[in-house]
Amino acid sequence: MRGSFEMAAESRTESLAGIREFILSSTEGSALDRRERFRLMMAVDEAATNIIMYSGSVGIKIECRIYRDRAVVLLRDRGVAFNPLEAPAPEVDRPLEEREVGGLGIFFVRNLTDGAEYRREGDENLLTLTVRHRGGGA
């Protein structure tokens, strides 16, 4: 591993800007290119937004681990047990007015990352997101 960075944030929408900055600064100088770093930042932003809006947690702990070819982010909260990856995929092919409300955040998380895993450990939700360096890019 090349580095590990941690932060704690309150479960408030005002914390999202700091979380985004944390991800970008933690991945600066890593193998991830600009697009890969942006994908990771957006996925973490969506996941953190879900935690803030729905978990009932008072805080989020975030760890960003930098490896030679990837970045792995662990989001930890003590909210109600909820596996966001089990949420049904939104019907993005249907017209907007015919769709159910919600589900797009997790859809984005799934599509922006190269891996997403959830587990419940004791009284904590743990969501792990991975973005790999794909070798080209900007």
Side-chain angles (χ1 to χ4, degrees):
M1 186 174 4
R2 295 184 176 222
S4 182
F5 307 90
E6 295 181 21
M7 80 166 291
E10 292 181 26
S11 291
R12 300 169 8 132
T13 54
E14 295 82 3
S15 299
L16 292 170
I19 292 170
R20 289 188 293 266
E21 179 56 37
F22 168 73
I23 296 300
L24 291 176
S25 65
S26 296
T27 56
E28 191 171 342
S30 72
L32 299 183
D33 65 31
R34 181 177 51 87
R35 288 186 181 123
E36 292 160 342
R37 291 174 65 223
F38 184 76
R39 284 191 304 122
L40 181 62
M41 186 228 16
M42 290 302 298
V44 171
D45 183 75
E46 288 295 337
T49 297
N50 272 352
I51 293 168
I52 290 166
M53 302 302 287
Y54 305 112
S55 80
S57 176
V58 295
I60 307 168
K61 293 180 183 173
I62 303 169
E63 183 178 346
C64 183
R65 299 177 190 153
I66 307 301
Y67 297 90
R68 183 182 50 79
D69 62 341
R70 69 192 181 284
V72 178
V73 174
L74 175 65
L75 294 101
R76 199 182 278 268
D77 73 89
R78 291 181 181 241
V80 295
F82 176 67
N83 181 350
L85 303 176
E86 289 179 347
E91 298 174 343
V92 293
D93 297 333
R94 293 181 69 190
L96 188 59
E97 60 275 2
E98 294 178 16
R99 291 188 214 160
E100 293 289 323
V101 175
L104 285 176
I106 297 305
F107 174 79
F108 291 135
V109 168
R110 288 179 179 137
N111 286 282
L112 290 168
T113 63
D114 296 306
E117 297 175 7
Y118 169 86
R119 70 183 187 276
R120 181 81 176 174
E121 233 175 59
D123 63 349
E124 290 187 316
N125 294 301
L126 287 85
L127 181 64
T128 304
L129 307 176
T130 302
V131 169
R132 294 185 178 283
H133 176 55
R134 296 182 177 163

Coordinates of all heavy atoms in Angstrom, one line a residue, residues 41-121:
M41 N -14.5 10.3 -6.6 CA -15.0 11.3 -5.8 C -16.6 11.4 -5.9 O -17.3 11.5 -4.9 CB -14.4 12.7 -6.2 CG -14.9 13.8 -5.3 SD -15.5 15.3 -6.0 CE -15.9 15.1 -7.7
M42 N -17.1 11.2 -7.1 CA -18.5 11.2 -7.3 C -19.2 10.1 -6.6 O -20.3 10.2 -6.1 CB -18.8 11.3 -8.8 CG -18.5 12.6 -9.5 SD -19.3 14.0 -8.8 CE -21.0 13.6 -9.1
A43 N -18.6 8.9 -6.7 CA -19.2 7.7 -6.1 C -19.2 7.9 -4.6 O -20.2 7.5 -3.9 CB -18.4 6.4 -6.5
V44 N -18.1 8.4 -4.0 CA -18.1 8.6 -2.5 C -19.1 9.7 -2.2 O -19.8 9.5 -1.2 CB -16.7 9.0 -2.1 CG1 -16.7 9.4 -0.6 CG2 -15.7 7.8 -2.3
D45 N -19.3 10.7 -3.0 CA -20.2 11.8 -2.7 C -21.7 11.2 -2.7 O -22.4 11.5 -1.8 CB -20.1 12.8 -3.8 CG -21.1 14.0 -3.5 OD1 -20.8 14.8 -2.6 OD2 -22.1 14.1 -4.2
E46 N -22.0 10.3 -3.7 CA -23.3 9.7 -3.7 C -23.5 8.8 -2.5 O -24.6 8.8 -1.9 CB -23.5 8.9 -5.0 CG -23.7 9.8 -6.2 CD -24.9 10.6 -6.2 OE1 -25.9 10.3 -5.5 OE2 -24.9 11.6 -6.9
A47 N -22.6 8.0 -2.1 CA -22.7 7.1 -1.0 C -22.8 7.9 0.3 O -23.7 7.6 1.1 CB -21.5 6.2 -0.9
A48 N -22.0 8.9 0.5 CA -22.1 9.8 1.7 C -23.4 10.5 1.7 O -24.0 10.6 2.8 CB -20.9 10.8 1.7
T49 N -24.0 10.9 0.6 CA -25.3 11.6 0.6 C -26.3 10.6 1.1 O -27.2 11.0 1.9 CB -25.6 12.1 -0.8 OG1 -24.6 13.1 -1.2 CG2 -27.0 12.7 -0.9
N50 N -26.3 9.4 0.6 CA -27.3 8.4 1.1 C -27.1 8.2 2.6 O -28.2 8.1 3.3 CB -27.0 7.0 0.4 CG -27.8 7.0 -0.9 OD1 -28.6 7.8 -1.2 ND2 -27.6 5.9 -1.7
I51 N -25.9 8.1 3.1 CA -25.7 7.9 4.6 C -26.3 9.1 5.3 O -27.1 8.9 6.3 CB -24.2 7.7 4.9 CG1 -23.7 6.4 4.3 CG2 -24.0 7.8 6.4 CD1 -22.2 6.3 4.3
I52 N -26.0 10.3 4.8 CA -26.5 11.5 5.5 C -28.1 11.6 5.5 O -28.7 11.9 6.5 CB -25.9 12.8 4.8 CG1 -24.4 12.8 5.2 CG2 -26.6 14.0 5.2 CD1 -23.6 13.8 4.3
M53 N -28.6 11.2 4.3 CA -30.1 11.4 4.1 C -30.9 10.3 4.8 O -32.0 10.6 5.3 CB -30.4 11.5 2.7 CG -29.7 12.6 1.9 SD -30.1 14.2 2.5 CE -31.8 14.4 2.0
Y54 N -30.4 9.1 4.9 CA -31.2 8.0 5.3 C -30.8 7.1 6.4 O -31.6 6.4 7.0 CB -31.4 7.0 4.1 CG -32.0 7.8 2.9 CD1 -31.2 7.9 1.7 CD2 -33.2 8.3 2.9 CE1 -31.7 8.6 0.6 CE2 -33.7 9.0 1.7 CZ -32.9 9.1 0.6 OH -33.4 9.8 -0.5
S55 N -29.5 7.2 6.9 CA -29.1 6.2 7.9 C -29.4 6.6 9.3 O -29.5 5.7 10.1 CB -27.5 6.1 7.7 OG -26.9 7.2 8.4
G56 N -29.6 7.8 9.6 CA -29.9 8.2 11.0 C -28.6 8.3 11.8 O -28.6 8.5 13.0
S57 N -27.4 8.2 11.1 CA -26.1 8.2 11.8 C -25.8 9.6 12.1 O -26.2 10.6 11.5 CB -25.1 7.6 10.8 OG -23.8 7.7 11.4
V58 N -25.0 9.8 13.1 CA -24.5 11.1 13.5 C -23.2 11.5 12.9 O -22.7 12.6 13.0 CB -24.4 11.3 15.0 CG1 -25.8 11.2 15.6 CG2 -23.5 10.3 15.7
G59 N -22.5 10.5 12.3 CA -21.2 10.7 11.7 C -20.8 9.7 10.7 O -21.4 8.6 10.7
I60 N -19.8 10.0 9.9 CA -19.3 9.1 8.9 C -17.8 9.1 9.1 O -17.1 10.2 9.2 CB -19.6 9.6 7.5 CG1 -21.1 9.8 7.3 CG2 -19.1 8.6 6.4 CD1 -21.4 10.5 6.0
K61 N -17.2 7.9 9.1 CA -15.7 7.8 9.0 C -15.4 7.3 7.6 O -16.0 6.4 7.1 CB -15.2 6.8 10.1 CG -15.5 7.3 11.5 CD -15.0 6.3 12.5 CE -15.3 6.7 13.9 NZ -14.9 5.7 14.9
I62 N -14.3 7.9 7.1 CA -13.9 7.6 5.7 C -12.4 7.3 5.7 O -11.7 8.1 6.3 CB -14.3 8.7 4.7 CG1 -15.7 9.1 4.8 CG2 -13.8 8.4 3.3 CD1 -16.1 10.3 4.1
E63 N -12.1 6.2 5.1 CA -10.7 5.8 5.0 C -10.4 5.6 3.5 O -11.2 5.0 2.8 CB -10.4 4.5 5.7 CG -8.9 4.2 5.6 CD -8.6 2.9 6.4 OE1 -9.4 2.5 7.2 OE2 -7.5 2.4 6.2
C64 N -9.4 6.3 3.0 CA -9.0 6.2 1.6 C -7.6 5.5 1.6 O -6.6 6.0 2.1 CB -8.9 7.5 0.9 SG -8.5 7.5 -0.8
R65 N -7.5 4.3 1.0 CA -6.3 3.6 0.8 C -5.8 3.6 -0.6 O -6.6 3.3 -1.5 CB -6.5 2.1 1.3 CG -6.9 2.0 2.7 CD -7.2 0.5 3.0 NE -7.8 0.4 4.3 CZ -8.6 -0.6 4.7 NH1 -8.8 -1.6 3.9 NH2 -9.1 -0.6 5.9
I66 N -4.6 4.0 -0.8 CA -4.0 4.1 -2.1 C -3.0 3.0 -2.3 O -2.1 2.8 -1.6 CB -3.2 5.5 -2.3 CG1 -4.1 6.7 -1.9 CG2 -2.7 5.6 -3.7 CD1 -5.4 6.8 -2.7
Y67 N -3.3 2.2 -3.4 CA -2.4 1.1 -3.8 C -1.8 1.5 -5.1 O -2.1 2.5 -5.7 CB -3.2 -0.2 -3.9 CG -3.8 -0.6 -2.6 CD1 -5.1 -0.2 -2.3 CD2 -3.2 -1.5 -1.8 CE1 -5.7 -0.6 -1.1 CE2 -3.7 -1.9 -0.6 CZ -5.0 -1.5 -0.2 OH -5.5 -1.9 1.0
R68 N -0.9 0.7 -5.6 CA -0.2 0.9 -6.8 C -1.1 1.2 -8.0 O -0.9 2.1 -8.8 CB 0.8 -0.2 -7.2 CG 1.6 0.0 -8.4 CD 2.5 -1.2 -8.7 NE 1.8 -2.5 -8.7 CZ 1.1 -3.0 -9.7 NH1 1.0 -2.3 -10.8 NH2 0.5 -4.2 -9.6
D69 N -2.2 0.4 -8.1 CA -3.1 0.4 -9.3 C -4.5 0.7 -9.0 O -5.4 0.6 -9.8 CB -3.0 -1.0 -10.0 CG -3.5 -2.1 -9.1 OD1 -3.6 -1.9 -7.8 OD2 -3.9 -3.2 -9.6
R70 N -4.8 1.2 -7.7 CA -6.2 1.4 -7.4 C -6.3 2.3 -6.1 O -5.3 2.4 -5.4 CB -7.0 0.1 -7.2 CG -6.6 -0.7 -6.0 CD -7.1 -2.1 -6.0 NE -6.8 -2.9 -4.9 CZ -5.6 -3.4 -4.6 NH1 -4.6 -3.3 -5.5 NH2 -5.4 -4.1 -3.5
A71 N -7.5 2.8 -5.9 CA -7.8 3.4 -4.6 C -9.0 2.7 -4.1 O -10.0 2.4 -4.8 CB -8.1 4.9 -4.8
V72 N -9.0 2.5 -2.8 CA -10.1 1.8 -2.1 C -10.6 2.8 -1.0 O -9.8 3.2 -0.1 CB -9.7 0.5 -1.5 CG1 -10.8 -0.2 -0.7 CG2 -9.2 -0.4 -2.6
V73 N -11.9 3.1 -1.0 CA -12.5 3.9 0.1 C -13.5 3.1 0.9 O -14.3 2.4 0.4 CB -13.2 5.1 -0.6 CG1 -13.9 6.0 0.5 CG2 -12.2 6.0 -1.3
L74 N -13.3 3.2 2.2 CA -14.2 2.6 3.2 C -15.0 3.7 3.9 O -14.4 4.6 4.5 CB -13.4 1.8 4.2 CG -14.2 1.1 5.3 CD1 -15.1 0.1 4.8 CD2 -13.2 0.5 6.3
L75 N -16.3 3.6 3.7 CA -17.2 4.5 4.5 C -17.9 3.7 5.6 O -18.4 2.6 5.4 CB -18.3 5.0 3.5 CG -17.8 5.9 2.4 CD1 -17.8 5.2 1.1 CD2 -18.7 7.1 2.3
R76 N -17.8 4.3 6.8 CA -18.3 3.6 8.0 C -19.3 4.5 8.7 O -19.0 5.7 8.9 CB -17.0 3.3 8.8 CG -17.1 2.3 9.9 CD -15.7 2.3 10.6 NE -14.7 1.6 10.0 CZ -14.4 0.3 10.2 NH1 -15.2 -0.4 11.1 NH2 -13.5 -0.3 9.6
D77 N -20.4 3.9 9.1 CA -21.4 4.7 9.8 C -22.1 3.8 10.8 O -22.2 2.6 10.6 CB -22.4 5.5 8.9 CG -23.4 4.6 8.3 OD1 -24.5 4.3 8.9 OD2 -23.1 4.1 7.2
R78 N -22.7 4.4 11.8 CA -23.5 3.6 12.8 C -25.0 3.8 12.7 O -25.7 3.8 13.7 CB -23.0 4.0 14.2 CG -21.6 3.6 14.5 CD -21.1 4.0 15.9 NE -19.8 3.5 16.1 CZ -19.4 2.7 17.0 NH1 -20.3 2.2 17.8 NH2 -18.1 2.3 17.1
G79 N -25.4 4.0 11.5 CA -26.8 4.2 11.2 C -27.6 2.9 11.2 O -27.0 1.8 11.5
V80 N -28.8 2.9 10.9 CA -29.6 1.7 10.7 C -29.0 0.8 9.7 O -28.4 1.2 8.7 CB -31.1 2.0 10.4 CG1 -31.8 2.7 11.5 CG2 -31.2 2.7 9.1
A81 N -29.1 -0.5 9.9 CA -28.5 -1.5 9.0 C -29.2 -1.4 7.6 O -30.4 -1.4 7.5 CB -28.7 -2.9 9.5
F82 N -28.4 -1.1 6.6 CA -28.9 -1.0 5.3 C -27.8 -1.3 4.2 O -26.8 -0.7 4.3 CB -29.5 0.4 5.0 CG -30.0 0.6 3.6 CD1 -31.1 0.0 3.2 CD2 -29.3 1.5 2.8 CE1 -31.5 0.2 1.9 CE2 -29.7 1.7 1.5 CZ -30.8 1.0 1.0
N83 N -28.1 -2.2 3.4 CA -27.2 -2.5 2.3 C -27.7 -1.8 1.0 O -28.6 -2.3 0.4 CB -27.1 -4.1 2.0 CG -26.2 -4.4 0.9 OD1 -25.7 -3.6 0.2 ND2 -25.9 -5.7 0.8
P84 N -27.1 -0.7 0.7 CA -27.5 0.0 -0.5 C -27.4 -0.7 -1.8 O -28.1 -0.5 -2.8 CB -26.7 1.3 -0.5 CG -25.4 0.9 0.2 CD -25.9 -0.1 1.3
L85 N -26.5 -1.7 -1.8 CA -26.2 -2.5 -3.1 C -27.3 -3.5 -3.4 O -27.4 -4.0 -4.5 CB -24.9 -3.2 -3.0 CG -23.7 -2.2 -2.7 CD1 -22.4 -3.0 -2.5 CD2 -23.5 -1.2 -3.8
E86 N -28.2 -3.7 -2.4 CA -29.4 -4.6 -2.6 C -30.6 -3.8 -3.2 O -31.6 -4.4 -3.6 CB -29.8 -5.3 -1.4 CG -28.8 -6.3 -0.9 CD -29.2 -7.0 0.4 OE1 -30.1 -6.5 1.1 OE2 -28.6 -8.0 0.7
A87 N -30.5 -2.5 -3.3 CA -31.6 -1.7 -3.8 C -31.7 -2.1 -5.3 O -30.8 -2.3 -6.0 CB -31.3 -0.2 -3.7
P88 N -33.0 -2.2 -5.8 CA -33.2 -2.5 -7.2 C -32.7 -1.4 -8.1 O -32.7 -0.2 -7.7 CB -34.7 -2.6 -7.3 CG -35.3 -1.9 -6.1 CD -34.2 -2.0 -5.0
A89 N -32.2 -1.8 -9.2 CA -31.7 -0.8 -10.2 C -32.8 0.0 -10.7 O -33.9 -0.6 -11.0 CB -31.0 -1.6 -11.3
P90 N -32.6 1.3 -10.9 CA -33.7 2.1 -11.5 C -33.9 1.8 -12.9 O -33.0 1.3 -13.6 CB -33.2 3.5 -11.3 CG -31.7 3.4 -11.3 CD -31.4 2.1 -10.6
E91 N -35.1 2.0 -13.4 CA -35.5 1.7 -14.8 C -35.1 2.9 -15.6 O -36.0 3.7 -16.0 CB -36.9 1.3 -14.9 CG -37.3 0.1 -14.1 CD -38.7 -0.3 -14.1 OE1 -39.6 0.6 -14.4 OE2 -39.1 -1.4 -13.8
V92 N -33.9 3.1 -15.9 CA -33.4 4.3 -16.6 C -33.9 4.4 -18.0 O -33.8 5.5 -18.6 CB -31.8 4.4 -16.5 CG1 -31.4 4.7 -15.1 CG2 -31.2 3.2 -17.1
D93 N -34.4 3.3 -18.6 CA -34.9 3.4 -20.0 C -36.3 3.9 -20.1 O -36.8 4.2 -21.2 CB -34.8 2.0 -20.6 CG -33.3 1.5 -20.7 OD1 -32.4 2.3 -20.8 OD2 -33.1 0.3 -20.7
R94 N -37.0 3.9 -18.9 CA -38.4 4.4 -18.9 C -38.4 5.9 -18.9 O -37.5 6.5 -18.4 CB -39.1 3.8 -17.7 CG -39.3 2.3 -17.8 CD -40.0 1.8 -16.6 NE -41.4 2.2 -16.7 CZ -42.2 2.0 -15.6 NH1 -41.8 1.5 -14.5 NH2 -43.5 2.5 -15.7
P95 N -39.4 6.5 -19.4 CA -39.6 8.0 -19.3 C -39.6 8.4 -17.9 O -40.1 7.7 -17.0 CB -40.9 8.3 -20.0 CG -41.2 7.1 -20.9 CD -40.5 5.9 -20.2
L96 N -39.0 9.6 -17.6 CA -38.8 10.1 -16.3 C -40.1 10.1 -15.5 O -40.1 9.7 -14.3 CB -38.2 11.5 -16.4 CG -37.8 12.1 -15.1 CD1 -36.7 11.3 -14.4 CD2 -37.2 13.5 -15.3
E97 N -41.2 10.5 -16.1 CA -42.5 10.6 -15.4 C -43.1 9.3 -15.0 O -44.0 9.2 -14.2 CB -43.5 11.5 -16.2 CG -43.9 10.9 -17.5 CD -42.9 11.3 -18.6 OE1 -41.9 12.0 -18.4 OE2 -43.1 10.9 -19.8
E98 N -42.5 8.2 -15.6 CA -43.0 6.8 -15.3 C -42.1 6.1 -14.3 O -42.5 5.0 -13.8 CB -43.1 6.0 -16.5 CG -44.1 6.5 -17.5 CD -44.2 5.7 -18.8 OE1 -43.6 4.5 -18.8 OE2 -44.7 6.1 -19.8
R99 N -41.0 6.7 -13.9 CA -40.1 6.0 -13.0 C -40.4 6.2 -11.5 O -41.0 7.2 -11.1 CB -38.7 6.6 -13.2 CG -38.1 6.2 -14.5 CD -36.6 6.6 -14.4 NE -36.3 7.1 -15.8 CZ -35.2 7.8 -16.1 NH1 -34.5 8.2 -15.1 NH2 -35.0 8.1 -17.3
E100 N -40.0 5.3 -10.7 CA -40.1 5.4 -9.2 C -39.1 6.4 -8.8 O -38.0 6.6 -9.4 CB -39.8 4.1 -8.5 CG -40.8 3.0 -8.8 CD -42.1 3.3 -8.1 OE1 -42.1 3.8 -6.9 OE2 -43.2 3.0 -8.7
V101 N -39.4 7.2 -7.7 CA -38.4 8.2 -7.2 C -37.3 7.4 -6.5 O -37.6 6.4 -5.7 CB -39.1 9.1 -6.3 CG1 -38.1 10.1 -5.6 CG2 -40.2 9.9 -7.0
G102 N -36.1 7.8 -6.6 CA -34.9 7.3 -5.9 C -34.2 6.2 -6.7 O -34.6 5.8 -7.7
G103 N -33.1 5.8 -6.1 CA -32.3 4.7 -6.7 C -31.2 5.1 -7.6 O -30.3 4.3 -7.9
L104 N -31.2 6.4 -8.0 CA -30.2 6.8 -9.0 C -28.8 6.9 -8.3 O -27.8 6.7 -8.9 CB -30.5 8.1 -9.6 CG -31.6 8.0 -10.7 CD1 -32.0 9.4 -11.2 CD2 -31.2 7.2 -11.8
G105 N -28.7 7.3 -7.0 CA -27.4 7.4 -6.4 C -26.7 6.1 -6.3 O -25.5 6.1 -6.7
I106 N -27.4 5.1 -6.0 CA -26.7 3.7 -5.9 C -26.4 3.3 -7.4 O -25.3 2.7 -7.6 CB -27.6 2.7 -5.2 CG1 -27.8 3.1 -3.8 CG2 -27.0 1.3 -5.3 CD1 -26.5 3.4 -3.0
F107 N -27.2 3.6 -8.3 CA -27.0 3.3 -9.7 C -25.7 4.0 -10.1 O -24.8 3.4 -10.8 CB -28.1 3.8 -10.6 CG -27.9 3.7 -12.1 CD1 -28.1 2.5 -12.7 CD2 -27.5 4.9 -12.8 CE1 -27.9 2.4 -14.1 CE2 -27.3 4.8 -14.2 CZ -27.5 3.6 -14.8
F108 N -25.5 5.2 -9.8 CA -24.2 5.9 -10.1 C -23.0 5.3 -9.4 O -22.0 5.1 -10.0 CB -24.3 7.4 -9.7 CG -25.2 8.2 -10.6 CD1 -26.1 9.1 -10.0 CD2 -25.2 8.1 -11.9 CE1 -27.0 9.8 -10.8 CE2 -26.1 8.8 -12.7 CZ -27.0 9.7 -12.2
V109 N -23.2 4.9 -8.1 CA -22.1 4.3 -7.3 C -21.7 3.0 -8.1 O -20.5 2.8 -8.3 CB -22.5 4.0 -5.9 CG1 -21.5 3.1 -5.2 CG2 -22.7 5.3 -5.1
R110 N -22.6 2.2 -8.5 CA -22.3 0.9 -9.2 C -21.6 1.2 -10.5 O -20.7 0.4 -10.9 CB -23.6 0.2 -9.4 CG -24.2 -0.5 -8.2 CD -25.5 -1.2 -8.7 NE -26.1 -1.8 -7.5 CZ -27.4 -1.8 -7.3 NH1 -28.2 -1.2 -8.2 NH2 -27.9 -2.5 -6.3
N111 N -22.0 2.2 -11.2 CA -21.4 2.5 -12.5 C -20.2 3.3 -12.5 O -19.4 3.3 -13.5 CB -22.5 3.2 -13.4 CG -23.5 2.2 -13.9 OD1 -23.3 1.4 -14.7 ND2 -24.7 2.1 -13.2
L112 N -19.9 4.0 -11.4 CA -18.7 4.8 -11.3 C -17.5 4.1 -10.8 O -16.4 4.5 -11.0 CB -18.9 6.1 -10.5 CG -19.9 7.1 -11.1 CD1 -20.3 8.1 -10.0 CD2 -19.2 7.8 -12.2
T113 N -17.8 3.0 -10.1 CA -16.7 2.2 -9.4 C -16.4 0.9 -10.2 O -17.2 0.4 -10.9 CB -17.0 1.9 -8.0 OG1 -18.2 1.1 -7.9 CG2 -17.3 3.2 -7.2
D114 N -15.3 0.3 -9.8 CA -14.9 -1.0 -10.4 C -15.3 -2.1 -9.4 O -15.1 -3.3 -9.7 CB -13.4 -1.0 -10.7 CG -13.0 0.0 -11.7 OD1 -13.6 -0.1 -12.8 OD2 -12.1 0.8 -11.5
G115 N -15.7 -1.7 -8.2 CA -16.2 -2.6 -7.2 C -16.8 -1.9 -6.0 O -16.4 -0.8 -5.7
A116 N -17.9 -2.5 -5.5 CA -18.6 -2.0 -4.4 C -19.0 -3.2 -3.5 O -19.6 -4.1 -4.0 CB -19.8 -1.1 -4.8
E117 N -18.7 -3.1 -2.2 CA -19.1 -4.2 -1.3 C -19.7 -3.6 0.0 O -19.2 -2.5 0.4 CB -17.9 -5.0 -0.9 CG -17.3 -5.7 -2.1 CD -16.0 -6.5 -1.7 OE1 -15.7 -6.5 -0.5 OE2 -15.3 -7.0 -2.6
Y118 N -20.6 -4.3 0.5 CA -21.2 -3.8 1.8 C -21.2 -5.0 2.8 O -21.3 -6.1 2.4 CB -22.7 -3.5 1.6 CG -23.5 -3.3 2.9 CD1 -23.4 -2.1 3.6 CD2 -24.1 -4.3 3.5 CE1 -24.1 -1.9 4.8 CE2 -24.8 -4.2 4.8 CZ -24.7 -2.9 5.4 OH -25.4 -2.8 6.6
R119 N -21.0 -4.6 4.1 CA -21.1 -5.6 5.1 C -21.5 -4.8 6.4 O -21.3 -3.6 6.6 CB -19.8 -6.4 5.3 CG -18.6 -5.6 5.9 CD -17.4 -6.6 6.0 NE -16.3 -5.9 6.7 CZ -15.4 -5.1 6.1 NH1 -15.5 -4.8 4.8 NH2 -14.5 -4.6 6.8
R120 N -22.1 -5.5 7.3 CA -22.5 -5.0 8.6 C -21.6 -5.7 9.6 O -21.5 -6.9 9.7 CB -24.0 -5.3 8.9 CG -24.5 -4.8 10.2 CD -24.9 -3.4 10.1 NE -25.5 -2.9 11.4 CZ -25.8 -1.7 11.7 NH1 -25.6 -0.8 10.8 NH2 -26.3 -1.4 12.8
E121 N -20.9 -4.8 10.4 CA -20.0 -5.3 11.4 C -20.4 -4.7 12.8 O -20.3 -3.5 13.0 CB -18.6 -4.9 11.1 CG -17.6 -6.0 11.1 CD -16.2 -5.5 10.6 OE1 -15.7 -4.5 11.2 OE2 -15.7 -6.0 9.6

